[in-house]
Amino acid sequence: MIRARLRENPGLVLSLLIIALFTIAWVTAGGFPARARIYPRYLIGAGLILALLHLGIELWRPLAPERHHGTADLKADDTHSLAVATRLAAPEFGWLAGLLVAIYLIGAIIPLPVYVITYAKKVARVSWKTAGAMGFALFAIMIGVFEHFLHFSWPRGVFTVPQRLLLTLLRDVGI
Amino acid sequence: MRIFGCPCSFGFMPDVLLYLLIGASLGLIIGAMPGLGGLVGLALLLPFTFDMEAFAALALAMGMLSTLNTSDTLPAILFAVPGTNAAQATIMDGYPMAQRGEAGRALGASYSASAIGGVFGAIVLALSIPLLRPLVLLFAAPELFMMALLGISMVATLSGRSPMRGLVVAFLGLLLGMVGADPQLGYYRFTFGQVYLFDGISLVPLALGLFAIPEMIDLCIRGTSLAHKEAPSATRGVMTGIRDSFRHWFLIVRSSALGVWVGALPGLGGSVVDWIAYGHAAQTEKGASETFGKGDVRGVIAPESANNAREGGSLIPTIAFGIPGNAAMALLLAIFLTHGIAPGPSMLTTNLPITYSLVFGIAIANIFGTAVLMALGNWISRIAKLPGRPLAAFVLAVVFLAALSATRNIGDLIVLLVVGVLGWFMKRTNWARPPLILAFILSPIMEQYFFLSTQRHGAAWLTRPIVMIIAVLMVTSVGWGIYKTRRESRPDADRDRDQTGARTVSA
């Protein structure tokens, strides 16, 4: 039955995930000192009961197509089913995951403009001129607003040399 | 005494007025940049104000605070990225309007509602300080705890035909808000040994992950421009939006009054007021259940008038009692103290000109900000016609930058990405996201009020009259939401609706 329900209403995956989270949090909160666990246990307990109640209602209800609720949230793009949309979204999230890894490895200053240029050229298929202008605009914001105005200390990354070299070069040329 | 708005002369010192307009211009810029916001802006200004004259410093700060909530709608309406936390509710209807090619109209409605709301807040501030003082003092920790719960329950009813989902998501937000050091004992909760989590999850990556990432990913998937349809003249759209605001003047008055009142309650504030106003409009406006969330201009007008009116309201506890209503007001309080101005009853007597200067400052900055944005609105709304994919890539890079600005920790980006996936899945499966963010913001405040209440009153705080009144309001709000859901989901209700629709079509 659960499998049929999940096919009809994939949002139930989130219900199950939340119940699992609440259960883990409830058990974890049991290990807190007495005063520190009062508030979390009250709220997590209430949340767990509500989540179970919600799951029960969803499973009990006769099978019916899922509606789109206007006031619930921004209207989702209905042109794709969840499965198709997930397949299409996966590479987009892949780009972001790649960007995250790059920032972790060499800091933020180089990967962010490179991401914009590469994505704009390879995926959005804009001209090199447009892609370069976008990357440069982002770089200008990063250096002009964040570096000079906000005195932002960029995350350094595991390999600090490329970012340090670039910042030194910029300082040497008076930027 | 040099003042920039004196109630006796209604005259302005040119140099101080200039600082007010500079502050307002900075506020417009910072408000339009997702991830920055009033707190960052004011924190940046703070060191510069130390060497300035008191009134110039206050003018600069008030100018900035007053216009932040006007320009924060730009990214909210065009990209579904809230410029500040106070623009989150505007996305609900502003973004669908932009997608429909009505960005100009949404912006026009937003600017005019913001200006009217801001001036309304300033007027109420001027009139109500002596009247509100006893009322604000009636709200202690138990009442404030209940107010926070009321805010969450109202937002949960925004979950359309599934208030239960809204409530479950709200509890998830409360749980996420508990991560980090316990405010009473300093005990680290749900950190699992991760240093990044010791200070809790940052609001900026959470909000950006929930709202910005899903919209940008969907924009990439679609591969179209932000506005699906051909936009009408942006100028005509802006004027239509302004006319919309005047047509719904009573909604503006009600939302502004809500904004002033919520702003005057310490601890609640910008992140809540727009949702409360939106919830109020969704519950009271005719046909809202059918049109809200799909690009109804009233869904833009209500939160925008409320969040600008809030600035006037949040000044009430700050200047009258020295209790900052939010973190930005705490920094404003620091500017007061740096220049030897002590908030308190003197602000209503000997320092009354300063109070009225602030009132005029809010009003002028709001009008100035609106005029500037109106002049640029035609040009700005064209952004919605740019190709979607490259635009999304650029915005996503800025989102990463904004997320990094929270704590400059790589952990922020991990939170951003994980919550981004969660937010995208929630969007696709019709789980409401707003209750999560609201509950997350209120979680630490609620916990603090809960402990203060129980330590001071035991369980007796539950029997306080205002607590009971708020509890009744809360139960009524949730009960009404569930009742409406059940009524609307009845098969005969569907049939009635279908028949009505058929009649309309055939007519």
Side-chain angles (χ1 to χ4, degrees), chain A residues 71-76, chain B residues 80 88 91-92 95 155 159 166 169-170 207-215 218 275 419-420 422-428 430-439:
Chain A
T71 47
D73 215 328
L74 299 172
K75 192 173 181 298
Chain B
Q88 285 164 6
I91 298 174
M92 301 291 288
Y95 184 66
V155 172
S159 309
V169 163
L208 290 170
L210 267 182
F211 292 102
I213 298 265
E215 303 310 329
D218 276 347
W275 288 118
V419 177
L422 176 74
W424 184 81
F425 187 74
M426 287 174 80
K427 182 188 167 186
R428 284 278 166 180
N430 290 317
W431 279 78
R433 292 166 288 173
L436 194 155
I437 199 80
L438 181 81

Side-chain angles (χ1 to χ4, degrees), chain B residues 82-399:
Chain B
T84 68
N85 292 330
Q88 285 164 6
T90 310
I91 298 174
M92 301 291 288
D93 282 280
Y95 184 66
M97 284 181 78
Q99 286 181 308
R100 227 169 38 207
E102 293 184 327
R105 183 183 171 195
L107 291 169
S110 148
Y111 300 152
S112 46
S114 295
I116 299 169
V119 173
F120 183 92
I123 293 169
V124 172
L125 168 66
L127 297 177
S128 65
I129 289 174
L131 301 173
L132 275 174
R133 184 179 171 169
L135 207 57
V136 172
L137 287 177
L138 281 177
F139 275 70
E143 287 79 16
L144 291 166
F145 174 76
M146 291 303 289
M147 277 299 288
L149 270 183
L150 176 67
I152 292 175
S153 69
M154 283 187 74
V155 172
T157 60
L158 281 179
S159 309
R161 293 175 187 164
S162 186
M164 189 71 96
R165 274 189 176 183
L167 286 171
V168 171
V169 163
F171 274 95
L172 178 64
L174 289 173
L175 173 62
L176 292 177
M178 282 181 222
V179 174
D182 163 47
Q184 309 303 315
L185 306 173
Y187 184 81
Y188 292 117
R189 300 180 303 200
F190 310 119
T191 56
F192 305 103
Q194 297 298 312
V195 178
Y196 168 74
L197 294 175
F198 283 5
D199 287 333
I201 297 170
S202 303
L203 172 64
V204 175
L206 191 81
L208 290 170
L210 267 182
F211 292 102
I213 298 265
E215 303 310 329
M216 290 304 115
I217 292 292
D218 276 347
L219 189 59
C220 289
I221 292 175
R222 283 201 309 268
T224 61
S225 65
L226 190 64
H228 296 170
K229 297 177 182 172
E230 195 55 42
S233 157
T235 312
R236 195 168 65 234
V238 170
M239 290 313 293
T240 310
I242 295 168
R243 277 198 295 275
D244 284 332
S245 286
F246 283 102
R247 206 170 62 241
H248 299 291
W249 64 271
F250 190 51
L251 176 62
I252 293 187
V253 170
R254 288 185 342 252
S255 304
S256 302
L258 268 174
V260 171
W261 174 239
V262 175
L265 295 174
L268 297 179
S271 313
V272 188
V273 69
D274 55 333
W275 288 118
I276 290 180
Y278 187 85
H280 168 72
Q283 285 181 332
T284 58
E285 287 293 297
K286 200 176 169 185
S289 61
E290 297 298 322
T291 55
F292 268 46
K294 295 174 182 169
D296 189 322
V297 76
R298 293 170 298 177
V300 174
I301 289 170
E304 281 308 307
S305 47
N307 66 27
N308 275 56
R310 174 190 61 107
E311 291 306 331
S314 59
L315 266 174
I316 293 171
T318 311
I319 61 177
F321 317 119
I323 305 167
N326 53 46
M329 283 294 145
L331 291 179
L332 189 70
L333 190 68
I335 297 176
F336 273 116
L337 297 173
T338 308
H339 291 92
I341 303 165
S346 68
M347 297 297 285
L348 306 176
T349 52
T350 50
N351 283 334
L352 194 61
I354 298 176
T355 306
Y356 280 104
S357 297
L358 294 171
V359 171
F360 281 103
I362 294 172
I364 293 167
N366 269 290
I367 293 166
F368 170 78
T370 303
V372 168
L373 287 174
M374 292 274 190
L376 297 175
N378 196 7
W379 178 78
I380 291 165
S381 59
R382 287 182 192 161
I383 296 173
K385 298 302 295 174
L386 291 173
R389 279 200 177 121
L391 185 68
F394 191 84
V395 173
L396 281 170
V398 174
V399 163

